[in-house]
Each structure stands twice: as C-alpha cells, then as structure tokens.
Amino acid sequence: MKKILSIAAAALMVLSGCNGDKLKQAESLNGELNDSLHVALANQDSLLVLLNDITDGMNQIKDMEKILSNTSDLNAESASRKAQLRNDMSAIQKALQERRERLAQLEEKLKKSQSYSGTLQRTVENLKAEIANQEATISTLRNDLAAAKIQVADLTTRVDSLNTTVAAVTEERTLAQEQAIAAENELNTCFYAIGTKKELKEAKIIETGFLRKTKLMQADFQQSYFTTADKRTLTTINTHAKKAKVLTNMPQDSYVIEDVDGIKIIRVTNAREFWSRSNYLVIQVD
C-alpha cells in the first residue's frame, strides 16, 4: 500500500513498505506541517485583507481632501454637513487605530512563524508608514474644517498650503501603493519544474534509491531549475510530453491532466485550492 503525505515548501515523502511505527511518525509530522501551513496562509490572508482596508481608507480621505480643497464648496456646506464631516473623520481615525492594532498583532504572529520573510517585513513597515500618513492627513483636515467654521477668510490662504501638502502626501501614498502591489505580487508568486526522473534527480529536486523513500526538494535543490509564475494567471502548463504526473501533493480536485494531440497538459481548475499546500509544483514526464 502506498500513501502520499505532503510537506509544504520543504519536503514531500512518498512512503512505500513502511512499518506501522514509521507510518505513525510520518502522519504526526505531516499534521504538524499542515498546521504550520494553515497558520502561514491565514496570516497572509489577513495581510491582504488589511491591505484592502487601508486602500479603502485612502479613498475616504481623498474624498474629504476634495471637499476641503475647494473653498467655495466648503463655505456652502451647511452646519449639519460640516458636523457629518467631523463625524466621518472621527470614524476614520477610529478605523485607523483599529488597523494599527491589527497590524501589530499580525506582525507579532508573523515574527513567531517560519513564513516571516524580508518581503513580508517590508510590507508590514510600509503599512505602518501608510497608516501614520493617513492619521497625519486626517489631523490636518480636522484642523482645516475647524478653522473654516471660525474664520473662512483665513481658509483661502491655508488651502494653498494644504494643496502643497496633499501633493506631497499623494506622492508618498502612490509609492506606498506601488510597494503594497509588489508585496501582493510576491505573495502570489509560484514555481514549477518539469523534467524526467533523471533530470529531476540531477537538479536535486528528487532523491530516490532502491527500496528507499523518495524525497522531494531537499535543502540543496536547484532553485534555478524552477520556472517562476503568478498563481492568479497560471491556468495551463504544457508538459511537451506524452506522459506526465504531478509529484507534489496538490489537491486532486483542483486540477486535471488533459491529452491534447498526444501531449499532456496540466490544467488548474481551482487556483486557490491548487496552491494551498505549496508554492512549488513538480511534474515528472517520460
């Protein structure tokens, strides 16, 4: 009996002829690794949700900036409308504080996990800077709104200064958004390798032997042998071979192997599920 156990981004063990004790040890190890993987994926999902929330905050602040940058429109606003603006600003400030606390909690979890990379660290720092930037902008807008209620004439002069500040903030925000997009692209990066059994062994991607367990992707495997791709756009992989099989433990219901003119094609039917266990895909061809 042959049972396939997965090791995400570290090791995949194919068990053949193992005794009962070894099977139990392997199952225990697989369970621990699956738990670690689920935690890592949950942390990454939380980071992406936080990215979206902060982007929403940017849009809300931008709308308020438009209102306060036009003196005539601001003067025409009713007392109730200005009160609503103040309430909206307070709500945004509260949301920013909550996001700051969520980010601190997420950073603590990431630091304790094995998935905390340099890219994730830079992403966390960028999000901290963006939250601080938004808090400073809201504070400025609250002051401008208060001044408009007391002395409208003085607001005209300060709008010029506000416009200069907005331009600087916009530039910083654009940079932060670009860095956030780069980080999101990094989170969606995947890798795949196609080769014969001999080629995969030479690249140290698999290790086999007579009556010995097959090991996949040991510490010294050749990263350069893998092709880099994007999980969001990689839907089909042409193996250019008549026979092909997936060695990594991708969920079987997330892909199909099709025959097109005698050539095997790997077609991903559920990308999220397909890459849920590992960012690496190994395909053996004959």
Side-chain angles (χ1 to χ4, degrees):
M1 177 178 181
K2 186 175 181 182
K3 182 173 183 179
I4 300 177
L5 300 175
S6 62
I7 299 181
L12 178 68
M13 303 176 65
V14 179
L15 303 180
S16 57
C18 293
N19 57 35
D21 291 337
K22 290 184 177 180
L23 180 58
K24 290 180 180 179
Q25 293 174 1
E27 289 176 338
S28 176
L29 176 59
N30 185 59
E32 294 175 1
L33 291 172
N34 278 337
D35 289 342
S36 298
L37 178 59
H38 290 157
V39 170
L41 290 174
N43 288 339
Q44 290 187 359
D45 286 344
S46 297
L47 191 59
L48 290 176
V49 170
L50 193 53
L51 276 169
N52 292 333
D53 288 347
I54 291 176
T55 299
D56 290 340
M58 293 177 188
N59 295 332
Q60 291 174 323
I61 293 174
K62 186 176 180 180
D63 290 339
M64 289 187 179
E65 288 175 339
K66 290 180 180 178
I67 295 174
L68 295 181
S69 65
N70 192 315
T71 305
S72 59
D73 288 348
L74 184 60
N75 294 342
E77 295 288 351
S78 64
S80 61
R81 176 56 178 153
K82 290 177 181 178
Q84 181 62 48
L85 285 172
R86 286 194 295 273
N87 292 336
D88 291 344
M89 290 180 184
S90 297
I92 292 178
Q93 279 190 317
K94 181 178 179 181
L96 288 173
Q97 179 61 31
E98 292 174 352
R99 289 164 191 161
R100 182 188 291 278
E101 293 172 357
R102 284 165 54 195
L103 184 57
Q105 294 172 356
L106 181 58
E107 182 183 19
E108 188 66 23
K109 291 180 181 179
L110 287 170
K111 285 182 177 179
K112 293 179 181 179
S113 72
Q114 296 180 351
S115 63
Y116 193 54
S117 64
T119 297
L120 288 179
Q121 183 177 4
R122 288 191 297 272
T123 301
V124 170
E125 294 302 323
N126 290 335
L127 291 181
K128 285 181 181 178
E130 182 55 33
I131 290 174
N133 193 6
Q134 291 182 14
E135 288 175 336
T137 303
I138 281 294
S139 179
T140 299
L141 295 179
R142 283 175 66 91
N143 291 337
D144 289 338
L145 183 62
K149 181 178 180 181
I150 298 172
Q151 191 175 6
V152 174
D154 183 57
L155 180 61
T156 303
T157 302
R158 289 187 291 107
V159 163
D160 293 334
S161 176
L162 177 61
N163 287 337
T164 301
T165 302
V166 168
V169 170
T170 300
E171 182 178 355
E172 294 176 1
R173 182 191 302 122
T174 300
L175 178 60
Q177 286 176 320
E178 291 175 351
Q179 292 174 335
I181 291 173
E184 184 174 0
N185 289 338
E186 181 71 18
L187 291 174
N188 283 286
T189 298
C190 59
F191 310 88
Y192 68 89
I194 303 173
T196 63
K197 185 176 183 180
K198 179 181 178 181
E199 291 169 340
L200 295 176
K201 287 180 67 175
E202 290 176 349
K204 296 184 179 180
I205 294 175
I206 64 172
E207 180 181 319
T208 62
F210 181 69
L211 295 180
R212 191 175 64 184
K213 304 171 186 176
T214 296
K215 295 182 178 180
L216 183 64
M217 290 164 51
Q218 298 303 291
D220 58 348
F221 74 91
Q222 294 182 17
Q223 176 70 42
S224 60
Y225 192 86
F226 284 83
T227 298
T228 303
D230 190 318
K231 300 175 185 177
R232 297 165 294 188
T233 58
L234 183 65
T235 57
T236 58
I237 302 173
N238 190 337
T239 67
H240 302 285
K242 295 182 178 180
K243 295 182 179 180
K245 62 180 178 179
V246 175
L247 297 186
T248 39
N249 194 25
M250 274 52 188
Q252 293 184 357
D253 59 353
S254 65
Y255 71 96
V256 293
I257 300 179
E258 300 177 345
D259 191 298
V260 179
D261 297 329
I263 300 299
K264 296 301 181 183
I265 303 292
I266 308 296
R267 189 177 303 279
V268 179
T269 57
N270 187 332
R272 184 179 182 86
E273 181 70 13
F274 186 79
W275 298 106
S276 64
R277 298 177 180 175
S278 175
N279 289 331
Y280 287 82
L281 168 65
V282 178
I283 303 170
Q284 180 178 320
V285 298
D286 295 324

